[in-house]
Each structure stands twice: as structure tokens, then as C-alpha cells.
Amino acid sequence: MTAAFQAEGLVKRYGKTVALDGVDLIGRPGTVLGVLGPNGAGKTTAVRILATLLRPDGGRATVGGFDVVKDPVKVRRLIGLTGQYASVDEDLTGLQNLELIAALLDYRGAEGRRRAVELLDQFDLTDAGGRPVKTYSGGMRRRLDLAASLVGRPDVIYLDEPTTGLDPAKRDDVWNMVRNLVTEGVSVLLTTQYLEEADALADEISVINHGRVIAHGTPAQLKHIVGGQTVVVRPLDPEHLPAVADILQGIAGVAAESPSRGVLTVPVDGDAALGHVVRQLESASIPVLELALRLPSLDEVFFSLTGRHELEEQAA
Amino acid sequence: MSTSTTSTRLSDPHAIPDRPEPRPFALVRHSLQLARRSLLKTMRTPEQLLDVTLQPMIFIAIFVYLLGGAIAGSTHDYLQFLLPAIMVQTIMMSSTVTGTNLNTDIKKGVFDRFRSLPIARSAPLIGSVLGDLIRFVVAITVTLGFGYLIGFRIGTDPLQLLAACLLVIVFGFCLSWVSVLIGMLVREPGAATGLGFLVMFPLTFGTNMMVPTDTLPGWLQAWVKINPATHAMEAARALMLGTPDASGPVLKTLLWSAVLLVVFAPLAVSAYRRRT
Ligand SMILES: Nc1ncnc2c1ncn2[C@@H]1O[C@H](COP(=O)(O)OP(=O)(O)O)[C@@H](O)[C@H]1O
Ligand SMILES: [Mg+2]
């Protein structure tokens, strides 16, 4: 089966900065490829090349078999792009924004309006549709931007950090939209800085840093490489900390750590561990304030993959 | 997340949802749609029209009442002399807005969306330039209306007045490619405005807009005589007042317009291609 989109050895330089240093990506039809990486990793550059907005200095990229440099118009008929920064027109209303795009996609007047109204409804923007976008909240802009990229019913959708800056409820909305797209058969490229997001949405994940892919696999494979999940427990009464530490050690086989006062964490292998923790805390009658199963942060991912704390280095 | 999708769009042509067929005259239709967008934006932000409404009125008031008596002996005579030139000046100043707006659109990412659509790459550019023509129409209406209120009267007929308006719009349209070029070369929208004005000041004021050419010092006369804006102002005057003969300045204005278009439109388009 041909790939929905594919990048082979992509190179892009900005002066002395090497934004992409030989990136390979492959998106299988009807699936989500997650591209996970910190700020400056090259995610946006890769997306822009795949969206025909930028020419690569080396390598090649195809969408639906069409070369992004040689056949940009054919590629543009297949794709929808939601950039990292909402690219809707602030002075126009939500409806006018969508109608304009429909018209540019050769919908006739009435059809275009129907499609615009349908999308406003789908993205819960019907009431705001007549207001200028500059009065919209961040979450509403994101939704309109996403709607705008769907007007032409694209086969391939690029979502560049679609949830960065959104609160958790809005983030869940975006996640559900992505899942809906996939059930409709759309192929998605999603970039993110959060393993949690990639884990929730992606079928496969490419981890990218300094313009290179440093790991690729399914979420399960990747979590296995980076040491699975972490159980976090915060007992209501700090008196119980030693007892909790014993329970956690008994289940995980390694000593629990205390990253901050009153909290204990321990790495575990599978989801089952959480159940054990819950049952043992219950039978010991230890009330807890916080109990969670967490995925490693991006920094922890990089630490496992490269043995270095990339993000801290960059911040320093 | 794993999916159990049985048919995907790219692998199964029957799964492709109904999408409109591409239609002919795409460039024209898309450019007009994008021009309509510029128009809607202008209507939604009337403060953007201050430069084509308030500014000509202020200039006319200042020049006519402050200087008119001293320069021409009577404010009415001076108004007749000045108004056609102010019309040209307003349009020239207003043409700088196109570059500023384009720069803003590119910075804000609006053009990224347009460029990811299957439309001609030049459509957003053409649309912006066309859409800003409405500003010229507003400028002319306001200048003529205000002038009429305070006593300006044409010395020819409505047809020649219309010819003057069209000529000025053509000149402004050709000149706006200079503004587009500037907008593509600078980083910030503010810089596009600043640089645009810097170019337009010597062009608009280095003319016989305010006083007849032969009252100027020799070096300035030399500039005024080659300045395309001078020809546009003289053409507007001749068409609106009836003297002197209009054909010379009209021809020169059209020639200059063609030169501006031929030189700056390709430069602007290639700068636009490099920028986007
Ligand atoms: N237009 C540009 N000019 C110069 N450098 C750029 C430009 N765009 C991106 N870069 C650089 O390229 C690298 C990758 O950027 P980007 O693709 O935006 O990363 P990400 O989206 O993963 O945060 C960064 O070092 C960034 O500073
Ligand atoms: Mg980015």
C-alpha cells in the first residue's frame, strides 16, 4: 500500500541553522503519525515542506504519490493544514472565513455556504459564526482554524501542535476531532511536544530532535523503550508516606522516589500495576489526595533515548 | 490509538467524498474572491479608511485657507488649482496601504492557508491589489465631495471628470506595485508603511501640486519635470479645468503608468515568490 505522505532524507537549512538534517517520515493511509519533539526540533519545517509551503534543500517528499516540489497543485488538492499559529483572518467573521475558503476550493455560492455552516455547527461555532474572529477566544480560533483546513474534505491533514496553549477541556475536544477524522479515513500528521498526546492519538510516533529522527515506533514500543509509566501517589496524611513507599516498592520491585514533598513515584511496566496499587492502599486503609498513572515527560523520553537531558541543556 | 478503518481515502477511490470539480477561469475567479475579502476587511475596519477620507480634507483645508490667499491671491482660485492635485496625492499615499496589508497577511500566516489551497500562487497577490482599488474610489469621492462643498467647480464636462478619475485610478493601481514590492522586502508591517511614505513624499510634494513649476528653484524644477506624479496632477487638472490641453499630460501619465507596471509588477511578484 502506498503511503499517504512520505518524507525521505529531508534537509532544510536557514543560513547556518540546520532545521532538518535528513528526516524520514511515513504516514500510512487512514492512520495518525505523531511527530514528537521539543521546540526547535524541526517539526514545523517538516510540516511546511509536506504542505508545499517550503522547498526542501535536500531529500524529497510526496503526498498521495505526488511530489511536493514537482506537483504542488495536485498535492494541495489532497491536503488540509492547521498551522501552529491560527491562520484565520481576524477581521472577517468565522462564516466569512470558511465561505472564502469554500469559494477558493471552487464550491458554488450556495454549496459553499452550506459547507461553511455545516463546519461551524460541527465545531460548535454556530453562535459565534457571525462575529469577527478577533473577538474569539484562543480555543475558538483553534477550532475555526481546524474547520478551515477541513472545508475541502482533504485526505491528508497536518496538525502542527494543535493543542499547545489550550486548557485540558479544549484539548480533549481537539483529540476527539482528530479521532473522528481518522474514522472517516483521513490520514493525519500530528506534531506535539507531549508524549501523552502522541500516545493518545498516534498509531506510530517519530521522535525528532535537532532535525533528526532519533526514534520511531508504536506508542507501546516507545513507552517500552523509555521505561513505561510512572505511578504517582500523594497520601492525604504525610504520616503514611513510609507505608505507601513500602507498597510501591513491593509492586514495582524498585524503591519509590519522592520528586516533591509528600509525593511518591515509582516506574511500572503495565497498566495493571495501578490496580494493584489501588487495592493495596485500600486494604491498608490509606486515604490518598492524588493517585495517577503518568507517562514520562518529553525530557524523560529524551533522557532514555540519548542519555542526556536535552531540554535542560537547551534551556541553560 | 489503533484504528479499525476498513477503507481509507487514498487507497480506495470510492471512499473519496464529493468535492467540487475544478472550474475554468480559476485565476480570475480566485483573485476576485480574494479581492472581495480585502473589500470586506476594509468595510469592517472603517478606521483603515481615515487616510482616504480625513487626510484629503485636512490637506485641502490647510493649503487652501492657510496658503491660498498668499499663493494665488484668492482661496477659490487656489482651490481650483489644488484640488485635482490633492486627488492624485491622496491616491498615491493610499497606495502604500497595499504593501502594509500584504506584509501583515504574510506575517499572520493568512497567506499560508491560501497557499496550501489549490489556487494560483499569484491569486492572493492580485486579489489584494484589486481589493484596494475600492480605497481609491473612496478617496476620489471624498476629495471631490469635500471640494464641491467648499466651492470647487469643474470647468469641463462630467465625461472628462470621469476620465480624470479613471486615469488617476489607473495611475494609483500601477503605483501600488511599488508598495507591494516594499511590503515584500521589509520585515514588519510598520516598516512597510514608513518606507512607503518615505518614497511617496518626494513623489507627491516634489510636484507642482502647490505652486506652478516656474516659481521653483532650478534644481527642483528639474525633478518636478521628470516626476511622474507631476504629469498625473497636470492631467487631472487639465481634464477637470479644461486648460491647458489635456492630451500631453494624459499621454505622459499613461506612459509612466505602463513603465511603473512593467518594471515594478514583475519585481514585486518575484519578491512575493521569494517571500512566500
Ligand atoms: N524562517 C526561519 N529562519 C531562520 N531559522 C528558522 C526559520 N524557521 C525555523 N528556523 C529554525 O529552524 C529550526 C527548526 O524550527 P521549527 O521547524 O520551527 O521547529 P519546531 O516546529 O519543532 O519548534 C529552529 O532552530 C528554528 O530556529
Ligand atoms: Mg513549530
Side-chain angles (χ1 to χ4, degrees), chain A residues 81-147:
Chain A
L81 169 67
T82 298
Q84 188 170 356
Y85 307 99
S87 53
V88 282
D89 194 324
E90 307 235 309
D91 294 327
L92 301 187
T93 67
L95 182 66
Q96 286 171 336
N97 264 288
L98 298 184
E99 279 186 322
L100 171 63
I101 291 164
L104 294 176
L105 286 166
D106 290 346
Y107 280 86
R108 286 169 200 276
E111 273 174 73
R113 168 163 289 242
R114 207 175 319 126
R115 180 76 182 129
V117 167
E118 179 181 58
L119 280 165
L120 284 176
D121 180 51
Q122 193 180 330
F123 285 83
D124 208 10
L125 289 167
T126 303
D127 294 337
R131 289 208 323 255
V133 173
K134 62 174 137 219
T135 66
Y136 284 22
S137 69
M140 291 162 76
R141 264 172 223 233
R142 277 283 159 143
R143 298 211 298 276
L144 182 65
D145 205 30
L146 206 51

Side-chain angles (χ1 to χ4, degrees), chain B:
Chain B
M1 165 179 131
S2 65
T3 51
S4 53
T5 324
T6 45
S7 71
T8 64
R9 301 265 186 94
L10 285 167
S11 56
D12 175 7
H14 301 294
I16 291 179
D18 58 320
R19 259 180 246 161
E21 287 291 308
R23 285 189 278 143
F25 306 113
L27 180 60
V28 176
R29 271 185 303 108
H30 296 154
S31 299
L32 287 178
Q33 285 294 345
L34 288 157
R36 187 169 162 269
R37 156 182 178 262
S38 296
L39 224 139
L40 284 172
K41 279 168 78 81
T42 310
M43 296 303 152
R44 288 210 161 256
T45 46
E47 65 271 18
Q48 272 215 1
L49 286 172
L50 281 183
D51 65 326
V52 286
T53 51
L54 219 52
Q55 189 182 298
M57 293 200 270
I58 290 174
F59 272 136
I60 292 172
I62 291 179
F63 292 143
V64 169
Y65 295 113
L66 228 53
L67 312 173
I71 296 174
S74 108
T75 50
H76 177 259
D77 287 353
Y78 192 56
L79 178 63
Q80 295 290 99
F81 177 76
L82 182 77
L83 191 119
I86 288 277
M87 207 165 92
V88 175
Q89 184 207 26
T90 307
I91 286 203
M92 292 175 68
M93 290 294 193
S94 153
S95 75
T96 61
V97 174
T98 307
T100 308
N101 285 347
L102 277 170
N103 190 290
T104 309
D105 279 343
I106 289 174
K107 258 199 115 61
K108 286 204 172 163
V110 179
F111 269 40
D112 278 359
R113 155 113 318 120
F114 295 151
R115 288 183 50 232
S116 70
L117 298 173
I119 60 173
R121 204 167 168 188
S122 52
L125 186 63
I126 297 172
S128 293
V129 174
L130 286 182
D132 281 346
L133 290 184
I134 188 69
R135 309 168 56 76
F136 297 166
V137 175
V138 174
I140 288 175
T141 312
V142 169
T143 310
L144 283 177
F146 183 69
Y148 193 85
L149 274 183
I150 61 171
F152 176 81
R153 294 293 179 271
I154 55 167
T156 53
D157 49 75
L159 223 57
Q160 292 203 48
L161 175 66
L162 189 68
C165 296
L166 289 178
L167 183 72
V168 172
I169 290 177
V170 166
F171 182 64
F173 168 79
C174 297
L175 199 62
S176 59
W177 291 100
V178 177
S179 164
V180 172
L181 179 63
I182 292 172
M184 291 305 105
L185 295 180
V186 300
R187 272 181 199 280
E188 300 290 329
T193 309
L195 202 59
F197 273 52
L198 214 61
V199 171
M200 288 309 159
F201 259 79
L203 276 175
T204 58
F205 284 99
T207 57
N208 59 10
M209 173 171 77
M210 289 155 65
V211 292
T213 313
D214 53 23
T215 65
L216 299 171
W219 60 271
L220 193 54
Q221 280 195 27
W223 163 240
V224 167
K225 281 178 186 158
I226 57 159
N227 185 352
T230 307
H231 303 306
M233 289 173 180
E234 283 184 338
R237 259 185 208 130
L239 284 169
M240 289 160 79
L241 303 177
T243 52
D245 179 46
S247 56
V250 168
L251 201 67
K252 282 183 190 156
T253 305
L254 287 175
L255 269 176
W256 264 114
S257 300
V259 169
L260 286 169
L261 188 69
V262 167
V263 172
F264 285 99
L267 284 177
V269 169
S270 86
Y272 167 77
R273 282 179 179 271
R274 254 176 287 129
R275 176 77 177 254
T276 59

Side-chain angles (χ1 to χ4, degrees), chain A residues 29-42:
Chain A
T31 71
V32 180
L33 174 71
V35 173
L36 176 68
N39 243 329

Side-chain angles (χ1 to χ4, degrees), chain A residues 44 84 160-161:
Chain A
T44 298
Q84 188 170 356
D160 195 6
E161 298 197 29

